[in-house]
Amino acid sequence: MTFQNIPGTFDILPDAYDAGGAMVYGSAAWRHVEATVRDVMRRFGFQEIRTPVFEPTDLVARGVGGTTDIVQKEMFAFTKGSTDYVLRPEITAPVMRSYLQHHLAQRGGTQKLYYIGPCFRAERPQRGRFRQFHQFGTETLGTDDPRADAETIACMVAVYDAFGITGTRLRINTLGDAESRPRYREALRAHLAPHADQLSETSRRRLDTNPLRILDTKSPDEQTLLEDAPLLIDYVDDASRAHYETVKALLTSLDIDFVEDPRLVRGLDYYTQTAFELESDDLGAQSALAGGGRYDGLAEAVGSKQAVPAVGFAAGFERLFLALEAQQVALPDRPDPAAFLVALGEEAERWVFAAAHRLRKAGLAVGLDVRGRSLKAQMKEANRQNARTAVIVGKDELAAQAAQVKDMETGEQCSVPFDELAEALKRSEV
Ligand code: AMP
């Protein structure tokens, strides 16, 4: 019997491979993409935070919201002793927990944090939708200033710009303050209730629990029902409206294109005011590259006595890779060794084994054969590993204390004294 990875998860191998029609990038590509994300975060002044991959179930249930699909259907939850745990489905509630637990507010100013890490949701796997996926995102905690909203959006957009991804669409909306939403919720419910029999079972359930989610519907019939539905913006308080106007003006001043979408709501309950989503047509059904918004209600939802105004975005690496693939953005492959050491005969094998160690300690990436194979097999391996040079050592070279160094691209070969090898290889590495 052999084991397979769990559906909806994937391995990241040194090389890219094709998993049932989906390209899975190699670890070098992942490192590069992660490094680019980190560089954008650095430029925008976000500091990294890392939190555990599992959290108390209650934190997630309260933080994400009991009526959401995530909490109702998609949590990987388990119990140990008398405690319930959940593999984190997102990282905003954990960051808020950490912020409150470590009294980060007392460090003064706003906290600008970013994260990178795996998240878990028991969704039906499909293209761009996994059960273990990887998110990056920011959280700016401790300010209700609209500049923080605009900065968050600018940072999110800058990540995709950094890769040269084009053709994305930024949609924004305002959800108003904590009082606006219940008012709107009732208006929407009143509009849809007479047509309840035309709604899907899911939407009928949402009509009771969370009617705003019906606005997300993909069903054309339901979309028709929504055409003359009341609009959230008409139920939003004046202060939120002014906040929204400022965010839009700031985005315009940064030359960031957006479209207003009065039906944009986010799946998570703790959002207030600004909500946004970045989409790409390159992704197929799962068109959301990233999304976020302001969540001034989260801190209190997870037990804080004081409100903590905050704004952030979350993005998926897998969707970013889909966009990179669709736009044929070149990503690095596995790194090549600077040199591959080839030995002829037992004495040379011993010398080469020690020499590889010395060169590696000197900072060079060096390959060698550890199976005692023929010259031909070793040269083939040097080729397979894409080594830039092959360093060949046999009896004659040992006697002369100089190796044959062959440039694998040009085929040129020259003799290099053993004690100059490290320097010569370093020169060829660059
Ligand atoms: P959400 O918290 O649902 O708004 O998710 C934020 C971002 O994470 C989305 O825009 C996607 O890019 C990504 N994402 C969410 N769920 C999944 C999933 N199951 N598989 C892959 N990416 C996901």
Side-chain angles (χ1 to χ4, degrees):
M1 178 175 129
T2 58
F3 292 103
Q4 303 270 316
N5 66 294
I6 293 165
T9 70
F10 54 89
D11 300 317
I12 299 169
L13 305 183
D15 296 305
Y17 65 101
D18 200 300
M23 167 78 111
V24 179
Y25 283 90
S27 49
W30 275 81
R31 273 199 309 281
H32 170 77
V33 170
E34 285 165 2
T36 304
V37 168
R38 288 181 193 285
D39 188 57
V40 174
M41 298 303 171
R42 178 187 63 78
R43 284 188 267 140
F44 278 77
F46 289 96
Q47 305 288 333
E48 189 183 12
I49 181 167
R50 302 189 192 197
T51 63
V53 294
F54 65 120
E55 291 281 353
T57 302
D58 215 27
L59 169 75
V60 173
R62 291 212 231 164
V64 176
T67 63
T68 56
D69 286 351
I70 292 180
V71 171
Q72 289 191 343
K73 297 192 286 205
E74 295 167 2
M75 291 203 297
F76 282 109
F78 55 100
T79 303
K80 205 94 185 118
S82 58
T83 311
D84 296 331
Y85 303 96
V86 60
L87 297 182
R88 63 181 184 199
E90 54 93 59
I91 310 187
T92 297
V95 169
M96 181 58 86
R97 174 199 52 70
S98 183
Y99 175 88
L100 295 170
Q101 177 182 339
H102 300 290
H103 306 290
L104 296 188
Q106 288 171 12
R107 301 190 182 190
T110 56
Q111 292 286 319
K112 290 178 58 179
L113 305 171
Y114 83 89
Y115 57 79
I116 286 183
C119 294
F120 307 85
R121 293 183 195 175
E123 298 188 270
R124 195 166 52 81
Q126 55 180 280
R127 186 178 147 85
R129 194 196 267 174
F130 297 87
R131 297 189 139 194
Q132 174 171 344
F133 58 100
H134 301 78
Q135 280 194 343
F136 60 93
T138 67
E139 315 291 355
T140 300
L141 301 116
T143 174
D144 59 7
D145 195 295
R147 276 173 294 195
D149 307 38
E151 187 185 46
T152 298
I153 294 171
C155 177
M156 176 182 76
V157 169
V159 169
Y160 300 88
D161 281 350
F163 292 102
I165 290 175
T166 54
T168 58
R169 197 168 40 251
L170 173 65
R171 293 186 298 131
I172 63 170
N173 192 19
T174 179
L175 306 178
D177 65 3
E179 279 84 49
S180 312
R181 290 232 279 180
R183 276 202 305 271
Y184 177 63
R185 195 175 294 154
E186 281 324 306
L188 187 61
R189 193 177 276 145
H191 174 81
L192 289 173
H195 312 283
D197 54 337
Q198 295 164 51
L199 295 174
S200 70
E201 199 188 314
T202 312
S203 293
R204 257 201 311 278
R205 208 179 46 244
R206 286 180 175 158
L207 193 57
D208 290 329
T209 55
N210 191 357
L212 266 66
R213 290 293 315 282
I214 302 175
L215 299 176
D216 278 338
T217 184
K218 301 266 186 291
S219 141
D221 289 347
E222 293 185 348
Q223 281 172 351
T224 310
L225 278 181
L226 288 169
E227 264 168 20
D228 53 352
L231 289 179
L232 190 46
I233 189 74
D234 295 326
Y235 292 79
V236 162
D237 59 294
D238 290 344
S240 298
R241 224 181 269 234
H243 183 99
Y244 185 50
E245 291 304 321
T246 309
V247 173
K248 287 189 289 180
L250 289 168
L251 292 176
T252 302
S253 76
L254 301 180
D255 281 333
I256 295 174
D257 292 332
F258 59 86
V259 287
E260 287 183 69
D261 180 351
R263 299 241 167 84
L264 172 70
V265 289
R266 303 274 305 151
L268 312 182
D269 275 354
Y270 48 66
Y271 284 102
T272 52
Q273 308 220 23
T274 317
F276 52 86
E277 220 159 80
L278 190 69
E279 295 178 325
S280 161
D281 290 333
D282 288 332
L283 305 190
Q286 307 301 319
S287 60
L289 282 171
R294 181 162 274 290
Y295 48 92
D296 294 348
L298 175 62
E300 286 161 302
V302 299
S304 170
K305 289 201 176 60
Q306 264 150 23
V308 177
V311 58
F313 80 87
F317 276 102
E318 290 77 8
R319 309 260 173 104
L320 170 55
F321 274 109
L322 284 178
L324 291 167
E325 190 190 357
Q327 304 205 352
Q328 298 181 336
V329 176
L331 292 175
D333 230 332
R334 56 192 291 165
D336 303 330
F340 191 90
L341 304 195
V342 173
L344 295 165
E346 274 181 31
E347 205 188 333
E349 276 177 12
R350 275 194 300 279
W351 186 89
V352 154
F353 193 72
H357 187 62
R358 270 199 311 279
L359 293 169
R360 287 166 174 170
K361 288 219 289 191
L364 286 150
V366 171
L368 84 165
D369 181 77
V370 288
R371 289 192 274 174
R373 290 185 298 173
S374 68
L375 169 66
K376 198 172 150 205
Q378 291 182 61
M379 289 306 287
K380 220 169 136 182
E381 181 62 20
N383 238 325
R384 199 189 67 78
Q385 291 195 11
N386 217 8
R388 257 151 286 175
T389 48
V391 177
I392 304 156
V393 178
K395 252 204 185 85
D396 294 349
E397 286 72 27
L398 286 176
Q401 292 286 294
Q404 288 297 317
V405 174
K406 179 177 176 180
D407 185 310
M408 296 295 280
E409 211 167 282
T410 62
E412 266 170 52
Q413 199 162 314
C414 61
S415 176
V416 176
F418 286 167
D419 55 9
E420 292 171 22
L421 208 47
E423 281 314 309
L425 293 178
K426 268 188 190 154
R427 275 198 302 277
S428 77
E429 199 173 40
V430 287

